[in-house]
Amino acid sequence: MKECSHKDCNLEVFENSNKCILHCEKDDWRHKIPYKELEKTFSETAIFSAECKTKLKHFWYIFKQQITEDKVQDFKNIIFPTNAELELKELENKILKFNHCKFTDIFYFNGLNNVQRVEFNSCIFGKSVKFEYIVFKEDFLFQNCVIYKDAELLFKDINFNGVVSFIKTKVKSKFTFTQVRFNDIALFNNSEIEDLFFENTFFRKELNFLNMKLNCVGNRETARIIKDSFEQQNNIIEANKFYALEMKEREKELEEDKKSGKNIFEWFVFKIHGISSNHSQDWTLALFWIFIVGFIASYYDFNLIQNSEAKYIHYNLSSIFKTIGLIFIILFIDRLCKIKDKFINKSYFIISFYLIYIYATEDYLLSLFSQTINPFSVMKTNDPINGIQLFFKITIAYLIYQLIISIRQNTRRK
């Protein structure tokens, strides 16, 4: 009998492999229907070929033979094909550990209610993994694991009674919690998640998302939960980031309302708030708009021609059309370059508008510009003003307010 080449394994090799049925690769253990259809009809064993069924039965038979009377059941480096016939009655009141294991197929963990403690350490999941309708008695650790792209990690109708940890876990797709209750501490530190989604999820104790990398949130509730966690830790800078995400999700909700004719004015306010300062989170964006609107307003004032009685009589149209042409050239060059760096883009536009402005006005020291954006400048009673100038002044005052609030957000929100 030839033994498995895997370290500390005394089982005989499986088929033509140099490893046993637990440790050998199982890439060819495939069913013949799409994975999406498999999820719908997973309980129907008829979907597997006769050869696949035989291999599965043999695998789980050998797997169950490895379960001992020890309190701790530590499964190491096992490659799991599927859990179509997995039963965990033998693991009642035990501590279950999966270390450096690989799950090549869709995996459902629905029989863990009687397990005392569960740990997944440095495991790899190639397809979706789902935990449903379970009460975890003690700690649940899911650390240093990797969930591949397009493989959802789902927790549904779960009650966690102990510490829950997803420290340093990488979920390269959707990570979903629905109807879940955390009765103890939950840790997401140093995790990397593509899309996190909380729905009808409740937390009784501390949450920690420190150094978590998150590409997007599934809904506004998710952003609110993370924001609230950082606020409780007095980590205002991180809280503000998720406050901005919360506002963006609210904007999406208002987009849907707008389609049906509801909350149009509220949608408009949110849109302006986002464009002007990213919901009071980006002071450079507010400063950018102050420069752009200030240059346009100053240029408009410069081209207003007054008579001896200080009344506007006409505009310098040739100068206006010439400047509009230059602006279109700048926009065209920007489209050709396709610069993606936001800071470079902002700097490019500010410098370009400045060059156009001084070319048209010769206001090199920005005297007129400074007077236009100065919130403390006082107009004389006989100074003429029209509706367009009033609009510019209100807009600049709003942008200056957003600049102050955005800078202040680095320390606190209220």
Side-chain angles (χ1 to χ4, degrees):
M1 180 185 74
K2 188 176 180 181
E3 291 186 352
C4 176
S5 61
H6 196 277
K7 183 181 178 181
D8 300 326
C9 181
N10 298 321
L11 297 176
E12 62 179 301
V13 299
F14 178 70
E15 293 184 340
N16 297 324
S17 172
N18 64 342
K19 295 179 182 177
C20 68
I21 194 171
L22 298 182
H23 298 117
C24 67
E25 294 293 333
K26 300 174 178 63
D27 293 335
D28 59 340
W29 293 30
R30 298 297 182 196
H31 32 73
K32 296 182 179 180
I33 67 172
Y35 283 107
K36 290 183 178 179
E37 295 298 319
L38 172 64
E39 292 191 67
K40 297 177 183 177
T41 59
F42 193 80
S43 59
E44 300 178 17
T45 56
I47 62 178
F48 297 101
S49 65
E51 181 184 2
C52 184
K53 288 180 186 178
T54 301
K55 290 180 178 180
L56 289 172
K57 287 180 180 179
H58 185 35
F59 174 88
W60 290 114
Y61 173 76
I62 299 298
F63 175 80
K64 290 175 184 178
Q65 285 186 331
Q66 309 309 305
I67 299 174
T68 65
E69 297 296 324
D70 297 337
K71 182 72 173 179
V72 178
Q73 300 295 302
D74 193 356
F75 301 107
K76 297 179 179 179
N77 299 290
I78 295 178
I79 300 177
F80 290 87
T82 178
N83 70 332
E85 299 185 16
L86 174 59
E87 295 180 5
L88 297 171
K89 294 179 181 178
E90 301 88 348
L91 300 171
E92 185 173 350
N93 296 320
K94 294 182 182 296
I95 296 174
L96 182 59
K97 294 184 178 182
F98 295 93
N99 287 295
H100 298 277
C101 292
K102 183 178 180 181
F103 299 82
T104 60
D105 211 336
I106 297 172
F107 225 87
Y108 289 82
F109 289 94
N110 299 332
L112 298 176
N113 272 316
N114 297 318
V115 177
Q116 183 174 335
R117 174 186 170 103
V118 181
E119 295 183 18
F120 291 86
N121 297 301
S122 302
C123 293
I124 295 175
F125 297 85
K127 297 293 177 181
S128 294
V129 53
K130 302 185 178 183
F131 298 83
E132 299 178 319
Y133 313 106
I134 303 171
V135 176
F136 288 102
K137 297 179 181 179
E138 295 186 5
D139 297 349
F140 177 86
L141 307 181
F142 199 92
Q143 301 180 143
N144 289 290
C145 295
V146 177
I147 312 295
Y148 284 163
K149 189 176 181 180
D150 300 325
E152 179 185 19
L153 176 57
L154 170 68
F155 291 85
K156 181 179 179 181
D157 286 295
I158 304 294
N159 210 326
F160 292 109
N161 290 314
V163 173
V164 179
S165 175
F166 295 99
I167 292 176
K168 293 185 178 180
T169 285
K170 297 180 181 179
V171 182
K172 300 180 180 180
S173 54
K174 194 168 184 179
F175 192 178
T176 302
F177 294 88
T178 178
Q179 299 176 11
V180 176
R181 185 181 297 274
F182 292 82
N183 294 316
D184 209 326
I185 297 171
L187 305 173
F188 292 80
N189 307 54
N190 298 292
S191 57
E192 297 180 21
I193 302 171
E194 178 64 29
D195 185 3
L196 183 60
F197 181 83
F198 290 118
E199 181 183 41
N200 296 326
T201 299
F202 305 95
F203 301 89
R204 291 187 176 273
K205 292 189 178 180
E206 179 186 349
L207 270 169
N208 199 319
F209 296 95
L210 189 63
N211 296 324
M212 177 183 68
K213 295 180 181 178
L214 180 62
N215 284 342
C216 63
V217 293
N219 59 2
R220 183 159 60 99
E221 179 66 10
T222 303
R224 187 200 63 78
I225 288 172
I226 301 173
K227 178 202 70 177
D228 184 64
S229 169
F230 282 117
E231 284 184 336
Q232 291 183 28
Q233 299 167 31
N234 293 319
N235 191 337
I236 302 302
I237 294 176
E238 292 297 323
N240 285 333
K241 294 178 182 178
F242 288 95
Y243 167 76
L245 289 178
E246 183 183 4
M247 292 299 99
K248 286 182 179 179
E249 292 300 318
R250 176 57 179 159
E251 189 175 317
K252 291 178 183 178
E253 296 172 0
L254 291 172
E255 287 277 0
E256 295 299 319
D257 290 346
K258 183 174 69 71
K259 292 178 182 178
S260 58
K262 300 177 181 178
N263 299 324
I264 294 177
F265 180 73
E266 188 176 352
W267 168 84
F268 178 75
V269 172
F270 261 79
K271 202 71 175 176
I272 294 299
H273 199 210
I275 292 172
S276 63
S277 62
N278 189 23
H279 303 287
S280 300
Q281 300 304 304
D282 189 348
W283 66 269
T284 63
L285 185 58
L287 185 63
F288 165 80
W289 285 116
I290 288 172
F291 273 105
I292 299 303
V293 176
F295 283 138
I296 295 173
S298 301
Y299 179 73
Y300 176 82
D301 289 344
F302 176 80
N303 285 284
L304 286 175
I305 308 300
Q306 300 179 13
N307 60 16
S308 59
E309 298 177 354
K311 293 182 179 180
Y312 300 134
I313 55 175
H314 65 85
Y315 302 100
N316 189 344
L317 293 179
S318 62
S319 175
I320 291 175
F321 286 131
K322 180 172 60 177
T323 307
I324 290 174
L326 287 174
I327 291 174
F328 275 110
I329 292 173
I330 289 173
L331 294 174
F332 178 72
I333 293 173
D334 178 68
R335 292 293 296 174
L336 286 179
C337 295
K338 294 182 180 179
I339 301 171
K340 295 182 178 180
D341 187 282
K342 291 182 179 180
F343 179 78
I344 294 177
N345 267 324
K346 292 174 188 175
S347 302
Y348 169 77
F349 273 102
I350 290 174
I351 293 171
S352 299
F353 268 77
Y354 170 72
L355 294 175
I356 291 175
Y357 175 74
I358 62 173
Y359 167 74
T361 66
E362 297 184 357
D363 182 19
Y364 299 102
L365 298 180
L366 301 179
S367 300
L368 178 59
F369 172 82
S370 300
Q371 184 178 357
T372 301
I373 70 169
N374 182 8
F376 303 106
S377 63
V378 179
M379 292 181 59
K380 298 178 182 179
T381 55
N382 62 342
D383 281 347
I385 185 171
N386 59 31
I388 296 176
Q389 287 174 302
L390 180 61
F391 172 77
F392 279 136
K393 287 185 179 295
I394 293 173
T395 302
I396 291 171
Y398 168 77
L399 291 171
I400 291 174
Y401 169 78
Q402 288 298 328
L403 174 65
I404 295 170
I405 294 299
S406 300
I407 293 174
R408 189 168 175 260
Q409 289 288 61
N410 286 321
T411 55
R412 61 177 183 173
R413 180 175 304 117
K414 297 179 181 178

